[in-house]
Amino acid sequence: MRNWLLVERFGNLARILAGLLLWVGLAGVAASAAPDTAITGQPEVPAGLTDTEKQNILKENNPKDRVETCMKVSANRLTQVVEAIKREEFENAAKTIGVYESLLCYTNTFATKADIKAKKRDNLYRIIETGLRKQMPFLEWASREMPECHEQCACRALNRAKEIRRVALNAMFGGEFLKDETAPSEGQERGGN
């Protein structure tokens, strides 16, 4: 009789423990299937990207992976711009550089609004800055090689890339690591040279 009571108690305890483990396991599966909270509430992926490019960007649930994917896609877009300019397809190059610029804006906004710690945000800015440092010579070349009628879009993309890189460097190194080139300097504000 006494052994039977022990078996019954351990049986109830085992059922409770099994139920608890099952509940925790299901909660874990549901949490892993839910989107990363750092990704929710972010800007829309820019128009003009191919479906494959959009899917590659959106499938990344980790902010670091998404920024890396965005920078790879932007590098591919810039390569397409260079190839179009070499073939003298300037209209195509202008459209592609417009998509490139909007992707840079998306990447910067994503990094700025991602719900992550400061150290991880600095890592996102490092990825952006490194990518832009590599892409800057191609943008400068494109702005020189585009004909006058399309030159403005290349210059605008170059200026946007410089601005985003400046913001990334200032975020990583603090304050005014790089000053805004468009803002008047201290001497200019007072009327000096």
Side-chain angles (χ1 to χ4, degrees), residues 41 70 78 88 160 166 171 187:
C70 286
L78 197 53
E88 297 184 2
R160 178 82 62 183
R166 185 186 63 78

Side-chain angles (χ1 to χ4, degrees), residues 8 16 25 30 40 53 58 62 65 74-75 78 92 101 115 119 124-125 128 130 148 157 159 175 179 190 193:
E8 190 174 310
I16 291 171
T40 58
E53 289 170 331
L58 293 175
N62 181 335
D65 294 338
S74 69
L78 197 53
N92 185 20
E101 181 185 0
D115 186 23
K119 187 173 182 177
L124 297 182
Y125 284 129
I128 292 170
T130 303
E148 222 175 284
N159 290 335
K179 297 204 184 288
R190 286 184 260 147
N193 288 335

Side-chain angles (χ1 to χ4, degrees), residues 139-164:
L139 284 168
E140 290 169 348
W141 178 85
S143 67
R144 286 190 309 268
E145 295 298 317
M146 291 285 269
E148 222 175 284
C149 59
H150 297 297
E151 181 182 21
Q152 185 180 4
C153 65
C155 290
R156 189 177 59 234
L158 176 62
N159 290 335
R160 178 82 62 183
K162 285 180 180 179
E163 173 65 18
I164 291 172

Side-chain angles (χ1 to χ4, degrees), residues 29-49:
V29 169
S32 68
D36 189 347
T37 57
I39 302 291
T40 58
Q42 290 297 318
E44 291 288 320
V45 177
L49 295 175

Side-chain angles (χ1 to χ4, degrees), residues 1-8:
M1 181 81 171
R2 190 168 189 196
N3 288 341
W4 179 254
L5 287 174
L6 287 175
V7 170
E8 190 174 310

Side-chain angles (χ1 to χ4, degrees), residues 45 49-60 69:
V45 177
L49 295 175
T50 64
D51 289 338
T52 305
E53 289 170 331
K54 285 180 184 178
Q55 289 171 359
N56 286 341
I57 291 169
L58 293 175
K59 78 176 180 182
E60 299 298 346
T69 302

